[in-house]
Amino acid sequence: MSSDRALLEVRNLTVDYVGEHSIARAVNGIDFDIREGEAFGLAGESGCGKSTVAFALARLTRLPGLVSGGEVRLNGENVLKFDKARLKAYRWNEVSFVFQSAMNALNPVIPVAEQITDVIETHNPGLGADGARARAEELFELVGIPPARLDDFSHQFSGGMRQRICIAIALALNPRLIIMDEPTTALDVVVQRDIIEQIVDLKAKLGFSVLFITHDLGLMIEFCDRIGIMYSGELVEVAPSEAILTNALHPYTRALGNSFPPLTGPRLRMEGIPGSPPDLRSLPQGCRFAPRCPRAMDICRVENPELRLYPEHRSQAACHLLN
Ligand code: SF4
């Protein structure tokens, strides 16, 4: 159950990729909050900037990427200004991560137990080896793996189990936010569903918030409380999940929704979205979606609309049609 209190406030976040001869603005001054206990999703086509946002929030942006502006506030503290010591406490204690490739990041020549207790002992030096082992057993139980398997090596587990181990490591220090970037993409659909159901249970039990990123809009709608739709580095709509398919305000959100088959009801022909997102190094003037938008007007090609709140819909959207 999420509250209205913001856990993480993202303000005017801007991320550039700096090339020798050009700069591509991958995230252009976006604002959003992740509330206490909320699952917040970021969706959009490949290259829209959603993973770049996740990396910036985790302070994992590496050159040629550069966080060139904005704030990410956790309880009023700007994460982007944290020094090394504060960053160490922020990562894993307050915010942890599960990435698509995480399950392949487990060290194949070290028993899994050691990899979990390492994280626990590094951040809780007072706990001791026995305490860390007991916590690792507890975490295995939480993610549904028998603790007797703690001393196995990663290759002895299936892909789904390896991803559960990564979720266990992410939970090790009781973080308040877990950033999950395509956490189930490499898994088959049945295992995907099992893992998502388990994350939902754990979230209800432990009360953490989630930033969830996936290209699977159906899965996201089922799992998230609210969803931000990104297009070409900007947020074009932020809405309760149930509104994304039934009451989307932005033409791009509607087009994205029409590109996914419904889970129930009659079989429909998928429409897709004609054209491609613009090159970030030479963006069109005005609304970035205008070259692909079936409802584009003259003003759309001149003025980029701002993200505004539409309280009657409990949504924010950036589109001239709504003004
Ligand atoms: Fe389409 Fe104009 Fe709205 Fe952009 S602002 S989505 S071009 S109607």
Side-chain angles (χ1 to χ4, degrees):
M1 192 69 185
S2 70
S3 79
D4 284 342
R5 190 174 173 274
L7 172 68
L8 202 77
E9 297 164 295
V10 177
R11 295 290 176 269
N12 200 24
L13 181 68
T14 303
V15 186
D16 293 322
Y17 286 102
V18 184
E20 215 173 308
H21 304 293
S22 62
I23 293 180
R25 180 143 291 181
V27 177
N28 187 29
I30 65 167
D31 297 324
F32 65 94
D33 291 345
I34 301 175
R35 299 171 185 161
E36 300 267 10
E38 177 181 54
F40 183 86
L42 276 181
E45 289 163 287
S46 298
C48 69
K50 50 194 192 300
S51 293
T52 304
V53 171
F55 273 72
L57 302 194
R59 288 278 311 265
L60 290 170
T61 307
R62 295 285 173 267
L63 286 171
L66 187 70
V67 178
S68 42
E71 292 188 349
V72 176
R73 292 199 293 261
L74 180 83
N75 276 342
E77 281 183 286
N78 187 0
V79 170
L80 302 181
K81 297 262 190 278
F82 282 172
D83 62 18
K84 228 172 159 185
R86 183 66 188 88
L87 198 55
K88 187 178 164 201
Y90 171 70
R91 293 195 185 130
W92 300 111
N93 279 309
E94 289 166 306
V95 176
S96 66
F97 325 97
V98 179
F99 293 115
Q100 181 184 347
S101 54
M103 61 185 177
N104 298 322
L106 291 169
N107 190 323
V109 296
I110 299 176
V112 163
E114 225 174 285
Q115 301 182 54
I116 303 182
T117 53
D118 243 19
V119 173
I120 300 169
E121 285 188 85
T122 306
H123 289 263
N124 279 309
L127 202 59
D130 290 349
R133 174 78 191 196
R135 176 70 179 139
E137 287 175 3
E138 198 178 291
L139 290 165
F140 253 44
E141 262 168 22
L142 260 182
V143 298
I145 304 176
R149 297 207 56 192
L150 260 175
D151 294 308
D152 288 355
F153 292 86
S154 62
H155 66 86
Q156 294 172 283
F157 295 94
S158 66
M161 283 174 122
R162 288 206 301 274
Q163 199 60 312
R164 281 175 208 275
I165 293 168
C166 292
I167 293 167
I169 295 174
L171 292 171
L173 302 171
N174 286 323
R176 297 165 64 200
L177 171 69
I178 305 184
I179 296 174
M180 296 186 169
D181 187 357
E182 304 278 3
T184 59
T185 300
L187 305 169
D188 69 61
V189 284
V190 177
V191 179
Q192 257 187 28
R193 183 149 300 276
D194 278 359
I195 289 190
I196 292 296
E197 281 171 5
Q198 187 158 47
I199 297 169
V200 170
D201 284 352
L202 290 167
K203 187 169 102 44
K205 205 181 293 175
L206 304 174
F208 53 81
S209 309
V210 175
L211 172 63
F212 188 63
I213 294 173
T214 177
H215 65 276
D216 186 337
L217 193 61
L219 194 69
M220 181 173 277
I221 288 169
E222 263 187 77
F223 175 55
C224 291
D225 300 298
R226 288 185 307 141
I227 294 176
I229 303 291
M230 287 191 74
Y231 185 78
S232 190
E234 296 183 334
L235 268 173
V236 296
E237 183 155 2
V238 178
S241 293
E242 65 274 10
I244 293 291
L245 287 184
T246 56
N247 192 26
L249 299 182
H250 195 281
Y252 177 65
T253 311
R254 283 201 286 274
L256 202 61
N258 288 339
S259 315
F260 284 84
L263 293 175
T264 55
R267 287 171 66 183
L268 300 172
R269 177 176 285 276
M270 296 299 96
E271 288 177 17
I273 308 173
S276 315
D279 182 339
L280 292 171
R281 292 164 304 178
S282 60
L283 291 161
Q285 201 189 339
C287 172
R288 294 177 178 193
F289 188 55
R292 303 169 78 188
C293 180
R295 312 219 27 210
M297 307 170 285
D298 289 345
I299 187 175
C300 306
R301 298 186 182 89
V302 181
E303 205 180 295
N304 197 8
E306 281 179 19
L307 191 72
R308 290 199 182 148
L309 176 65
Y310 296 89
E312 67 280 25
H313 297 281
R314 296 189 300 134
S315 297
Q316 293 168 280
C319 177
H320 290 305
L321 279 175
L322 304 165
N323 299 333

